[in-house]
């Protein structure tokens, strides 16, 4: 194998390429068509190209690029002076072990469902960039999260294509003598075996546990089938594998973390295995609790009581009895740790409660969510004074390099040393912006919108083809044809995320006549793009999808409202770079943070959101728009009507006129000013480099600062 081919293969096996534009372009240029077909997966791409072809192309036309990318990759991996070596050597010598039920790293690795996973993936990438010794732990879901299709009626159909290790950049974890590393965990009366896979994400490693091996009983093999699949029993088994299995894996690998970070309560059972370890070393239960607490930090993501993972006492007893006997912990003591009131252990066991009780510090994911969490959990600390509740906040961000399109990155590079200058600090962002003219900025917007409109047009023709496949009867309805060509001249709104009902995707359709007048105003038209998956068990969420699809087929909305099926990281990247307005209208305060709106900013997109999550602290009146001013009614229907009214108002009176107001050079000067303000105030703050630095200084280093 030539040196160049092995370099390309090596690059394909570290996800570093996913945030390096030149590396991405390199893979794509091998075969643009195949690149699309394999869902931008270089491992799969290289499996489909013959060595002869690779040999010919790598030795000649691509040689220089390969050399350059490879050199940058090697330099990155070998860097010895990083932010972490300078500021936090403790997390260089001993790794941070970060547990999460999902990781969204790239669209080709389908082990995520939504925002929580994207956050984990972005956290991992920034930790790598900052030089933190960082290990992620999750599960290898063979079917991943589903692929979404829409049938003729707009109803969501789920499909679960398998993902195979040989198509992914994963390596099986082996022992020193080359055997598969197998760990054992106890679930109910059974011993369950798990192997592990590792995935390189820059300098960080993600380990994925996998019970899908022949020695296991079939229902335990299925633990690793689907992200958040199955019933409560499946859920608790997944969480045991993640938490307890994860700790056992680290032990088998002789890895001594400096801290265990539980990203959401799913992994909180890890504390039980840590307790067991301390007790085995001679500690009493009380001592063990304190020792475990010293090692753990916890991030909560759920601002509503109903959203927290809870298990019945019976299920806990059935599932843990044997395990607890083996490790010598009294079942009652464990129930106390997970019960809201330790005096009464007959009720539900709550993962968040366990995590809060056994962490040295905990945080919500935005300022507002911190407040909501302190209120929600104050009873655990026997206080009415929320200032006494030891839950802080660190606001979520995004891994900016991953979320900037190649074109956007090139644009900023024409005005700066690197795109980093835009998210380093407000001052450096403003300096870059001062070198960009309004017409250049507007040109960027048009270019990105044109890309998006072309993409959507291809995407929809594909989608209609699928819809016919899933159609029970043939339709000749003319509105079903691809008349829905969107225009880059038109003010474009995007709404895409999980279709959890609290996010209220159909809010903008509350008054169809008013919406009709808005989108079909001949001088100032508007178009709206929707996408998103409902959880397979969430019929209310699926009904929201169906309603939007139905609206999109009404004569007045054809060509103005579209729904793109199968929302995922790849689709997200397209949407956030092309839309003018990223719309977010959850029920406040149910959006703990939200991050998708942060992704649009460097592309010149603007946010329009309920004052909730990150927007509550980022919105300043000149960097986007708000829907209302944070009113909370408590009655879903009343709030719905109220917020819809506020949404129409801000569109009609502020957003639309600002967008269509042009100066003598046909530039929307006030709009562009908003874009500049958004970039300067949002990009430098709402990124995971800042976020991970905060986690490190305030939570990972031993002395937590409140
Ligand atoms: C960023 C992102 C999310 C997060 O969406 P929010 O509603 O803003 O939390 C969800 N899914 C995908 C695919 C994303 O890229």
């Amino acid at each position: 194998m030539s040196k160049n081919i092995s370099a390309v293969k090596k690059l394909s096996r570290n996800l570093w390429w996913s945030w390096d534009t030149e590396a991405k372009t390199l893979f794509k240029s091998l075969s643009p068509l195949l690149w699309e077909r394999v869902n931008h997966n270089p491992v799969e791409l290289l499996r489909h190209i013959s060595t002869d072809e690779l040999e010919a192309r790598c030795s000649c036309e691509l040689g220089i690029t390969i050399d350059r990318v490879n050199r940058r990759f090697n330099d990155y991996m070998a860097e010895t002076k990083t932010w972490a070596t300078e500021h936090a050597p403790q997390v260089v010598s001993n790794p941070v072990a970060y547990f999460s039920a999902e990781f969204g790293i790239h669209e080709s690795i389908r082990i995520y469902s939504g925002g929580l996973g994207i956050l984990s993936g972005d956290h991992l990438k920034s930790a790598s960039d900052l030089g933190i010794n960082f290990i992620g732990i999750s599960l290898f879901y063979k079917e991943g999260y589903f692929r979404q299709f829409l049938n003729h009626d707009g109803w969501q159909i789920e499909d679960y294509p398998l993902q195979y290790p040989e198509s992914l950049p994963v390596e099986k974890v082996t022992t020193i003598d080359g055997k598969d590393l197998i760990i054992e965990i106890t679930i109910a009366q059974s011993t369950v075996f798990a192997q592990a896979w590792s995935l390189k994400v820059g300098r960080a490693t993600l380990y994925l546990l996998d019970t899908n091996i022949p020695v296991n009983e079939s229902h335990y093999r299925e633990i690793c089938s689907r992200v958040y699949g199955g019933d409560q029993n499946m859920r608790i088994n997944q969480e045991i594998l993640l938490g307890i299995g994860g700790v056992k894996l680290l032990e088998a690998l002789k890895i001594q973390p400096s801290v265990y970070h539980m990203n959401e309560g799913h992994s909180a059972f890890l504390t039980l295995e840590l307790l067991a370890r301390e007790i085995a070393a001679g500690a009493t239960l009380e001592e063990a609790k304190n020792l475990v607490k010293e090692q753990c930090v916890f991030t909560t993501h759920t601002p509503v009581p109903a959203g927290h993972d809870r298990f019945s006492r019976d299920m806990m007893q059935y599932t843990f009895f044997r395990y607890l006997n083996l490790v010598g912990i009294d079942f009652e003591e464990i129930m106390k740790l997970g019960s809201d009131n330790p005096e009464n252990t007959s009720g539900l066991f709550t993962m968040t409660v366990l995590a809060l009780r056994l962490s040295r510090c905990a945080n919500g994911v935005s300022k507002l969510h911190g407040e909501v969490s302190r209120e929600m959990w104050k009873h655990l600390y026997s206080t009415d004074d929320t200032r006494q509740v030891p839950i802080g906040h660190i606001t979520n961000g995004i891994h900016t390099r991953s979320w900037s399109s190649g074109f956007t990155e090139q644009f900023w590079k024409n005005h700066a040393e690197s795109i980093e200058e835009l998210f380093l600090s407000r001052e450096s962002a403003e300096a870059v912006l001062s070198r960009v003219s309004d017409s250049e900025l507007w040109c960027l917007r048009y270019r990105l919108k044109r890309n998006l409109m072309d993409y959507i047009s291809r995407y929809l023709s594909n989608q209609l083809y699928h819809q016919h496949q899933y159609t029970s009867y043939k339709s000749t309805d003319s509105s079903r044809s691809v008349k829905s060509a969107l225009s880059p001249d038109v003010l474009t709104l995007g709404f895409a995320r999980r279709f959890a009902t609290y996010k209220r995707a159909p809010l903008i359709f509350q008054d169809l006549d008013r919406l009709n007048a808005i989108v079909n105003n001949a001088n100032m038209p508007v178009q709206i793009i929707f996408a998103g998956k409902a959880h397979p068990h969430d019929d209310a969420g699926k009904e929201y999808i169906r309603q939007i699809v139905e609206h999109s087929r009404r004569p007045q909305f054809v060509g103005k409202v579209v729904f793109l099926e199968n929302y995922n990281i790849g689709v997200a990247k397209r949407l956030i770079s092309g839309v003018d307005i990223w719309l977010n209208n959850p029920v406040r305060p149910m959006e703990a943070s939200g991050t998708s709106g942060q992704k649009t900013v460097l592309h010149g997109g603007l946010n329009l959101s309920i004052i909730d999550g990150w927007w509550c602290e980022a919105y300043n009146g000149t960097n986007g728009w708000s829907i209302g001013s944070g009113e909370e009614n408590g009655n879903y229907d009343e709030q719905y009507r109220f917020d819809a009214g506020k949404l129409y108002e801000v569109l009609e009176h502020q957003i639309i006129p600002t967008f269509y107001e042009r100066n003598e050079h046909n530039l929307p000067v006030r709009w562009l000013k908003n874009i500049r303000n958004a970039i300067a105030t949002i990009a430098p703050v709402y990124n995971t480099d800042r976020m991970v630095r905060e986690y490190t200084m305030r939570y990972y280093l031993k002395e937590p600062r409140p």
Side-chain angles (χ1 to χ4, degrees):
M1 210 175 1
S2 81
K3 174 171 123 288
N4 282 338
I5 298 189
S6 39
V8 171
K9 294 212 157 142
K10 183 183 76 184
L11 288 168
S12 76
R13 304 202 69 84
N14 185 315
L15 267 299
W16 172 83
W17 68 260
S18 71
W19 68 97
D20 187 88
T21 305
E22 200 181 13
K24 268 189 278 192
T25 313
L26 169 66
F27 291 127
K28 180 176 174 181
S29 65
L30 286 170
S31 166
L33 183 64
L34 203 52
W35 182 244
E36 293 307 320
R37 292 218 175 120
V38 299
N39 199 16
H40 313 146
N41 176 348
V43 173
E44 194 61 9
L45 180 88
L46 293 173
R47 271 158 52 95
H48 283 88
I49 297 183
S50 74
T51 320
D52 288 354
E53 181 179 352
L54 273 181
E55 191 83 57
R57 294 199 60 198
C58 292
S59 65
C60 172
E61 137 223 11
L62 297 174
I64 295 169
T65 314
I66 295 172
D67 223 46
R68 198 166 46 222
V69 175
N70 194 37
R71 196 140 14 96
R72 272 191 301 107
F73 173 66
N74 289 338
D75 289 350
Y76 178 88
M77 295 301 286
E79 215 175 338
T80 49
K81 197 165 158 235
T82 62
W83 176 84
T85 56
E86 298 279 287
H87 296 96
Q90 297 94 315
V91 292
V92 179
S93 52
N94 287 79
V96 174
Y98 179 90
F99 287 64
S100 183
E102 46 170 320
F103 277 87
I105 299 165
H106 184 260
E107 58 263 31
S108 61
I109 304 171
R110 297 180 297 104
I111 54 171
Y112 66 94
S113 118
L116 183 72
I118 311 288
L119 181 78
S120 308
D122 283 1
H123 194 127
L124 199 63
K125 293 172 185 172
S126 274
S128 165
D129 289 344
L130 295 170
I132 296 169
N133 187 350
F134 201 83
I135 290 175
I137 307 267
S138 195
L139 307 187
F140 187 10
Y141 304 98
K142 197 161 175 225
E143 298 181 356
Y145 202 54
F146 67 94
R147 276 197 58 167
Q148 178 196 53
F149 294 103
L150 299 177
N151 75 8
H152 180 85
D153 305 316
W155 192 253
Q156 169 177 298
I157 308 284
E158 296 105 24
D159 184 34
Y160 291 89
L162 298 177
Q163 37 188 4
Y164 297 98
E166 54 273 29
S167 304
L168 297 172
V170 294
E171 317 288 339
K172 200 184 271 182
V173 178
T174 55
T175 59
I176 323 163
D177 43 359
K179 295 207 194 76
D180 292 358
L181 185 112
I182 301 284
I183 57 152
E184 288 180 32
I185 52 174
T186 303
I187 301 181
Q189 295 303 315
S190 304
T191 301
V192 178
F193 302 90
Q195 61 179 24
W197 302 86
S198 71
L199 190 73
K200 283 280 171 204
V201 184
R203 293 181 280 231
T205 304
L206 173 59
Y207 288 105
L208 301 174
L209 289 160
D210 180 7
T211 58
N212 191 8
I213 46 179
V215 287
N216 284 326
E217 298 164 47
S218 70
H219 63 285
Y220 290 125
R221 294 181 68 163
E222 278 167 26
I223 293 177
C224 292
S225 288
R226 299 178 177 182
V227 184
Y228 307 130
D231 53 10
Q232 279 292 92
N233 195 39
M234 176 66 79
R235 190 68 172 257
I236 200 170
N237 291 350
Q238 288 188 330
E239 298 188 357
I240 291 172
L241 178 63
L242 175 64
I244 297 182
V247 172
K248 291 203 161 183
L249 175 71
L250 293 172
E251 199 167 62
L253 293 169
K254 306 207 163 34
I255 293 172
Q256 284 270 344
S258 56
V259 59
Y260 294 85
H261 185 171
M262 295 174 260
N263 188 43
E264 191 52 310
H266 306 123
S267 57
F269 289 141
L270 74 83
T271 57
L272 303 190
E273 182 63 18
L274 294 179
L275 281 177
R277 195 195 277 179
E278 299 300 345
I279 287 170
T284 64
L285 181 62
E286 279 317 301
E287 289 163 352
K289 282 190 214 165
N290 287 326
L291 290 165
V292 171
K293 216 171 151 165
E294 277 310 298
Q295 304 168 58
C296 297
V297 303
F298 170 53
T299 302
T300 176
H301 291 262
T302 315
V304 272
H308 290 262
D309 248 349
R310 291 188 161 85
F311 300 112
S312 72
R313 185 187 162 92
D314 282 352
M315 181 170 281
M316 286 296 293
Q317 182 141 24
Y318 170 77
T319 315
F320 276 104
F321 204 72
R322 176 155 173 259
Y323 170 79
L324 291 176
N325 265 339
L326 287 173
V327 298
I329 307 178
D330 182 26
F331 174 70
E332 217 36 59
E333 294 294 337
I334 295 305
M335 279 309 293
K336 278 186 198 162
L337 284 170
S339 298
D340 279 81
N341 173 6
E343 308 290 303
N344 174 7
T345 59
S346 62
L348 295 173
F349 183 95
T350 306
M351 296 301 275
T352 302
V353 174
L354 174 66
L356 286 170
R357 290 231 172 86
L358 289 182
S359 297
R360 69 171 185 240
C361 43
N363 70 288
V365 289
S366 68
K367 186 165 177 285
L368 178 62
H369 179 233
E371 288 163 19
V372 170
S373 301
R374 284 189 289 279
E375 184 64 35
M376 183 156 59
W377 299 112
K378 64 185 182 192
H379 60 279
L380 298 184
Y381 305 90
S382 316
T383 176
D384 256 340
D385 181 1
T386 51
R387 285 169 307 182
Q388 306 288 327
V389 179
I391 302 176
H393 82 271
I394 293 182
T395 306
N396 286 344
I398 54 156
H399 185 254
T400 315
R401 294 171 208 84
S402 292
W403 292 103
S404 52
S405 76
F407 191 80
T408 302
E409 191 173 315
Q410 196 49 55
F411 175 84
W412 293 116
K413 271 193 183 157
N414 293 340
H415 302 277
E417 279 290 308
S418 87
I419 192 168
E420 245 149 277
E421 283 179 38
L422 285 146
F423 58 93
L424 222 51
S425 70
R426 179 165 179 165
E427 292 68 35
S428 73
E430 279 169 349
V432 177
L433 286 163
S434 71
R435 299 194 284 272
V436 179
S437 71
D438 275 356
S439 63
E440 285 169 320
L441 202 50
W442 193 229
C443 175
L444 169 72
R445 290 301 310 145
Y446 252 106
R447 171 65 194 259
L448 293 172
K449 283 176 81 172
R450 169 51 71 191
N451 285 353
L452 176 62
M453 300 314 150
D454 289 0
Y455 172 77
I456 288 179
S457 147
R458 287 195 304 274
Y459 201 93
L460 284 178
S461 31
N462 233 326
Q463 179 168 325
L464 272 163
Y465 171 77
H466 290 309
Q467 256 166 44
H468 285 301
Q469 280 190 324
Y470 285 97
T471 294
S472 47
Y473 60 96
K474 289 275 176 240
S475 162
T476 49
D477 179 355
S478 65
S479 71
R480 314 301 318 288
S481 65
V482 197
K483 279 200 300 187
S484 31
L486 303 182
S487 160
D489 293 321
V490 175
L491 173 65
T492 305
L493 274 53
F495 179 104
R497 47 180 54 82
R498 288 184 306 113
F499 266 49
T501 39
Y502 79 83
K503 293 177 185 257
R504 301 190 299 190
L507 185 75
I508 202 167
F509 297 99
Q510 195 263 337
D511 180 340
L512 291 181
D513 292 336
R514 199 157 169 192
L515 182 63
N516 181 19
I518 290 173
V519 300
N520 288 312
N521 179 329
N523 297 322
M524 303 192 283
V526 172
Q527 57 198 5
I528 318 173
I529 305 161
F530 285 93
K533 296 172 174 176
H535 186 277
H537 297 164
D538 180 11
D539 278 352
K542 291 187 198 178
E543 171 57 21
Y544 273 179
I545 295 175
R546 195 201 59 74
Q547 283 173 16
I548 292 174
V549 173
E550 184 182 323
H551 292 316
S552 76
R553 291 174 183 166
R554 292 175 194 275
Q556 70 270 38
F557 296 137
V558 169
K560 297 291 180 174
V561 176
V562 298
F563 189 101
L564 307 184
E565 66 187 12
N566 200 36
Y567 188 54
N568 60 41
I569 294 178
V571 177
K573 281 180 188 158
R574 296 293 193 145
L575 294 186
I576 53 106
S577 69
V579 299
D580 296 303
I581 289 284
W582 191 256
L583 175 64
N584 189 23
N585 42 233
V587 179
R588 178 182 149 120
M590 292 176 75
E591 194 65 85
S593 168
T595 53
S596 53
Q598 300 166 357
K599 300 168 189 164
T600 195
V601 170
L602 278 195
H603 307 276
L606 292 168
N607 279 272
L608 165 60
S609 171
I610 295 278
I611 295 291
D612 195 12
W614 76 281
W615 196 235
C616 183
E617 64 205 80
Y619 175 59
N620 70 6
T622 67
N623 58 358
W625 287 275
S626 74
I627 303 168
S629 25
E631 299 86 349
E632 288 178 38
N633 175 304
N635 177 308
Y636 188 86
D637 294 338
E638 282 173 26
Q639 185 82 51
Y640 200 93
R641 281 191 297 277
F642 180 84
D643 289 342
K646 289 287 177 193
L647 171 57
Y648 296 132
E649 249 171 55
V650 67
L651 281 170
E652 290 162 346
H653 300 303
Q654 296 187 45
I655 296 178
I656 298 171
T658 310
F659 181 83
Y660 284 106
E661 175 188 298
R662 304 292 155 95
N663 73 358
E664 68 275 22
H665 306 295
N666 203 21
L667 293 170
V669 179
R670 281 203 299 147
W671 188 269
L672 293 166
K673 184 87 185 112
N674 266 285
I675 293 180
R676 289 172 189 275
N677 290 338
I679 292 172
T681 58
I682 295 170
V685 181
Y686 300 94
N687 64 72
T688 42
D689 283 6
R690 183 274 310 156
M691 181 189 88
V692 173
R693 282 197 299 264
E694 253 188 84
Y695 272 107
T696 307
M697 300 315 278
R698 290 176 45 202
Y699 284 25
Y700 294 161
L701 298 183
K702 198 67 183 180
E703 292 303 319
R705 280 191 256 149

